[in-house]
Amino acid sequence: MANTDSKFRMSKANLYALILLLCIASYFLAAYRQEPPLPCSASVAKVSATEPSRRFPRCAANFTEYTPCEDPQRSVRYKRSRMIYRERHCPREPLKCRVPPPYGYRNPFPWPASRDRAWFANVPHRELTVEKAVQNWIRSDGDRFLFPGGGTTFPNGADAYIDDIGKLINLKDGSVRTALDTGCGLVEEGHVIHVTFHHEHIGALKEVVAGRLQWRRRTHFRAVADVLQVEAEDAVTVVASWGAYLLSREILTMSFAPRDTHEAQVQFALERGVPAFIGILATKRLPFPSRAFDISHCSRCLIPWAQYDGIFLNEVDRVLRPGGYWILSGPPINWKKYWNGWQRKKEDLQEEQTQIENVAKSLCWNKLVEKDDIAIWQKPKNHLDCKPTQHHRSFCSAKHHPDKAWYTDMQTCLNPLPQVSSIEETAGGVVDNWPKRLTSIPPRIYKQGTIEGVTAETYSQNYEMWKKRILYYKTVNNQLGTERYRNLLDMNAYLGGFAAALIQDSVWVMNVVPVQAKVNTLGAIYERGLIGMYHDWCEAMSTYPRTYDLIHADSVFSLYSNRSNCDTYCTSSSQMTTWNAGRGRGRLIGHAMESVKPRVSQEGVRNWPPHLAAQTARSPLAGHAAGPARLMLAHMSLAGPAACPMRGDWPVWAARCSGNILRHRGRHAQFELRDVAANYAFPPATLSVSHSPLHDQSIFHVPFPYSTLSLDCQMYNGCELEDILLEMDRILRPEGCVIIRDDVDILVKVKGIVDGLEWDSIIVDHEDGPLVREKLLFAVKKYWTAPAASDKTE
């Protein structure tokens, strides 16, 4: 019996030891995975349980680097002139699956170690390590990449290069806080030259042009009809090291570059924990407000600054703060020393620099210094002495608002600075030096009062509120504020309070102001010393998958829940008036500066802009010319087999029929127009439809009884909540965290979609208690990857 008891005690001890061993192994496995915990200390909200609205499948493995609006396969359809094909071109139908991480994906190194290394499995591209092996920019070391911080322009390292700049302008007193790295030293394709030729001479022309461009890294030829298109490309790649090393000096840099031939360079920057996005200087403005950055920088970015009447440098002027600096290094600076090494003619380099100098003078800039390989210009503090002359460009009119920057064409006119009363005054107001800048009242609030509903008092209250909210967030997710998170996104930033309250943590925040927001606050965010951009969450963001560790969405779904699933934006060719034929909010620009709020009834009745009534002055609409006339599209269909009768609500019809309209471009649509107020039906007429593949737009030519009105329409699909959440899933890293604040009814709908994304989620009460309707949803994206490639696939 004693023997039996002894054996029992031994087996029981072994069992306890085994359980203890398993617990320890489980703990270390969890620590290795670094998965943030779901809420544990917050009050769980009492809401009705919901079933997943649908299950979203995983995309194929070849989608691991899918960037919907910068898809290389789609971009080839667009014009190559002015790099249009590199701009945003979003798909009409969003992807309905979850983008996979590559096989073997691992959580990035924590900051600041991530500045100097990244996992190879996360960005599996070794091309740059081969091409740039001798330039000390990037090295491959087993399962990781190393970034020594070197480069062609700064062979002694980015730190030494920044020190050289610091000897020319003050980088230590806090006057420089926000910086823009144009091209961020990444690939920026150079000039595209078109030469008319006869086919029998193509061989000789290739030799001549290649000789002229031999200073470039690679030269590509393509014969199109009777034009030889020559592309010169130089992979100038420092993978955002300039911005990475400025962070230690409390300078926050926004870096950008196009999705390039190497496919990975902006992605490298983001893996390193450095702010960056996919973008290019081409035909559209950068998605920033005016007067945003203290300095702008170009190091061998190969942007043709003097071409197209200096339009690219003019865009830099728009986003540069009064008194801000533009820094240029690399060709053509110091050409007298390097012309032979660049294998270019002295005369050409001298002419290129002279043209840049002339563009800078036309912007009223002052050249401060040119020393060795660096040249620096300064923007004036105001425009009192900047008068339109033969040397200075003319000012833009009021219709070219300097803060409008979402799909807005660049201009060559000079954006005027706010008015001042003396030559010593800084236009728009003086921003404090950093770090005082973060908490002081931004000039756009205290001086200009351009942000409706925001005063100095409400601004200060907003900051205090966000400090309280962040403390609450950290009780729910105890890894917020640790090295676990580095890249953060605030989808509806308002005044940047979320980012400001996290300023002591080792994070950076991309503050997005949606273009649908009631007020434009992005300028004030930059005046706080923070960074951000404009965006429409009905479209994909200009970034790679797995960009952010944490995404914060405050009232985003309330903002978009009232938008129709399909809006049609039309521009009258006669009035340049933009309006919205869907349920959303429209606006008039140009001649009529007022708002239009179209309403659609179940019968399809909608408000029409006043100018439309004026188009038909002889019709029964004449009596309604002073105000919006209520019109009804009683019937509208494509001729032939693609008929699509309009019945019921306009957005419902548009969602059903817009695809047919666009697929059958060049055909005609039959429609009947009825004036409900006058009980008058126009005779049946033909609506001819043409299509522009460049902008995914349809041109509707409407023949009214006594005149013809052409409407340039673009149909936007994909404003459903699930599309926004799928985009969040694309740009969120595995095991990344999502925090969503919204009305409880909306959060219940969101949770049903989130469950279909296989996120672990829970809804908790507001920080002020369970009686507040606004709740919070905390979620964690599960870890999963694309399957391993088979030997055959490899």
Side-chain angles (χ1 to χ4, degrees), residues 333-477:
I333 303 303
N334 208 1
W335 58 267
K336 294 179 181 178
K337 178 179 179 181
Y338 296 115
W339 68 272
N340 191 40
W342 293 336
Q343 297 184 3
R344 292 184 62 187
K345 294 181 180 178
K346 292 181 181 180
E347 296 79 7
D348 293 341
L349 287 163
Q350 184 178 18
E351 176 63 20
E352 183 180 343
Q353 179 157 350
T354 299
Q355 291 176 357
I356 291 175
E357 303 266 11
N358 290 337
V359 173
K361 288 177 183 177
S362 74
L363 298 170
C364 302
W365 291 3
N366 173 45
K367 188 173 184 180
L368 285 183
V369 64
E370 180 177 338
K371 184 178 181 182
D372 299 328
D373 302 344
I374 301 170
I376 302 178
W377 287 261
Q378 186 174 26
K379 179 178 177 176
K381 293 197 297 182
N382 56 64
H383 280 158
L384 275 186
D385 285 345
C386 188
K387 308 297 182 183
T389 65
Q390 61 176 352
H391 301 296
H392 296 161
R393 55 189 64 209
S394 59
F395 288 113
C396 298
S397 62
K399 68 179 181 180
H400 299 300
H401 196 288
D403 283 349
K404 185 181 179 184
W406 184 247
Y407 288 117
T408 304
D409 290 336
M410 289 184 189
Q411 306 294 331
T412 55
C413 54
L414 182 60
N415 289 280
L417 292 171
Q419 293 184 352
V420 296
S421 56
S422 70
I423 194 66
E424 298 299 324
E425 186 179 352
T426 299
V430 177
V431 293
D432 289 326
N433 289 355
W434 183 263
K436 185 180 178 182
R437 187 183 300 189
L438 179 72
T439 55
S440 58
I441 309 299
R444 275 177 165 89
I445 296 174
Y446 81 79
K447 185 176 178 66
Q448 296 174 264
T450 56
I451 304 177
E452 183 181 353
V454 180
T455 64
E457 182 180 2
T458 57
Y459 170 83
S460 299
Q461 291 172 351
N462 179 269
Y463 180 46
E464 294 302 319
M465 176 187 71
W466 275 106
K467 288 196 292 185
K468 175 183 175 182
R469 288 181 171 181
I470 292 299
L471 287 175
Y472 181 67
Y473 287 0
K474 290 181 177 180
T475 65
V476 177
N477 182 347

Side-chain angles (χ1 to χ4, degrees), residues 594-605:
E594 58 179 294
S595 293
V596 174
K597 299 178 182 177
R599 286 185 227 119
V600 186
S601 72
Q602 213 41 38
E603 294 75 33
V605 179

Side-chain angles (χ1 to χ4, degrees), residues 32-33 57-64 98-107 121-122 124 546 729 732-735 758 781-789:
Y32 173 74
R33 295 258 25 101
R58 299 176 178 181
C59 304
N62 60 328
F63 280 89
T64 56
R98 293 175 289 145
V99 173
Y103 178 74
Y105 180 89
R106 303 172 68 174
N107 287 329
N122 295 6
R546 304 169 299 281
D729 184 84
L732 183 65
R733 288 173 174 166
E735 300 176 337
E758 295 187 284
K781 179 179 175 179
K782 287 186 177 180
Y783 177 88
W784 62 279
T785 69

Side-chain angles (χ1 to χ4, degrees), residues 197 199 202 222-228:
F197 69 98
H199 283 282
I202 185 170
R222 178 168 56 254
V224 182
D226 288 331
V227 174
L228 172 66

Side-chain angles (χ1 to χ4, degrees), residues 146-162:
L146 302 179
F147 304 95
T152 303
T153 308
F154 28 94
N156 297 322
D159 247 342
Y161 173 72
I162 294 170

Side-chain angles (χ1 to χ4, degrees), residues 515-663:
V515 294
Q516 294 83 7
K518 293 180 180 179
V519 290
N520 183 358
T521 54
L522 192 54
I525 288 174
Y526 271 94
E527 289 177 343
R528 299 188 75 169
L530 305 172
I531 58 173
M533 64 195 306
Y534 296 116
H535 187 63
D536 180 352
W537 289 112
C538 286
E539 298 181 5
M541 199 175 187
S542 290
T543 191
Y544 279 85
R546 304 169 299 281
T547 289
Y548 297 104
D549 301 294
L550 185 146
I551 298 177
H552 180 254
D554 180 12
S555 304
V556 170
F557 296 96
S558 291
L559 180 65
Y560 284 88
S561 63
N562 294 324
R563 299 192 67 192
S564 67
N565 290 340
C566 182
D567 291 340
T568 304
Y569 293 87
C570 300
T571 303
S572 159
S573 58
S574 58
Q575 280 280 101
M576 289 307 294
T577 301
T578 301
W579 56 282
N580 183 342
R583 284 183 185 269
R585 192 181 284 263
R587 59 181 174 180
L588 297 179
I589 58 173
H591 298 289
M593 299 296 291
E594 58 179 294
S595 293
V596 174
K597 299 178 182 177
R599 286 185 227 119
V600 186
S601 72
Q602 213 41 38
E603 294 75 33
V605 179
R606 54 199 169 96
N607 287 339
W608 205 281
H611 79 271
L612 200 55
Q615 293 283 335
T616 55
R618 300 184 190 179
S619 75
L621 287 177
H624 303 280
R630 291 177 299 167
L631 303 179
M632 180 175 71
L633 277 172
H635 176 83
M636 182 172 179
S637 66
L638 287 168
C644 186
M646 180 177 176
R647 299 189 183 95
D649 215 5
W650 166 272
V652 175
W653 169 84
R656 186 174 67 249
C657 300
S658 60
N660 283 336
I661 290 176
L662 298 180
R663 281 193 295 272

Side-chain angles (χ1 to χ4, degrees), residues 45 47 466 469 473 491-492 552-562 721 724-725 728 738-751 762-767 769-770 772-778:
V47 297
W466 275 106
R469 288 181 171 181
Y473 287 0
M491 296 176 66
N492 188 15
H552 180 254
D554 180 12
S555 304
V556 170
F557 296 96
S558 291
L559 180 65
Y560 284 88
S561 63
N562 294 324
L721 300 187
I724 299 175
L725 284 160
M728 293 168 67
V738 173
I739 305 173
I740 303 174
R741 304 180 65 96
D742 226 311
D743 182 83
V744 61
D745 291 339
I746 290 179
L747 278 191
V748 170
K749 295 178 183 177
V750 168
K751 190 175 189 322
I762 193 168
I763 297 177
V764 302
D765 284 324
H766 190 277
E767 59 267 12
V772 182
R773 277 194 61 84
E774 184 178 73
K775 306 295 180 185
L776 290 87
L777 185 146
F778 280 73

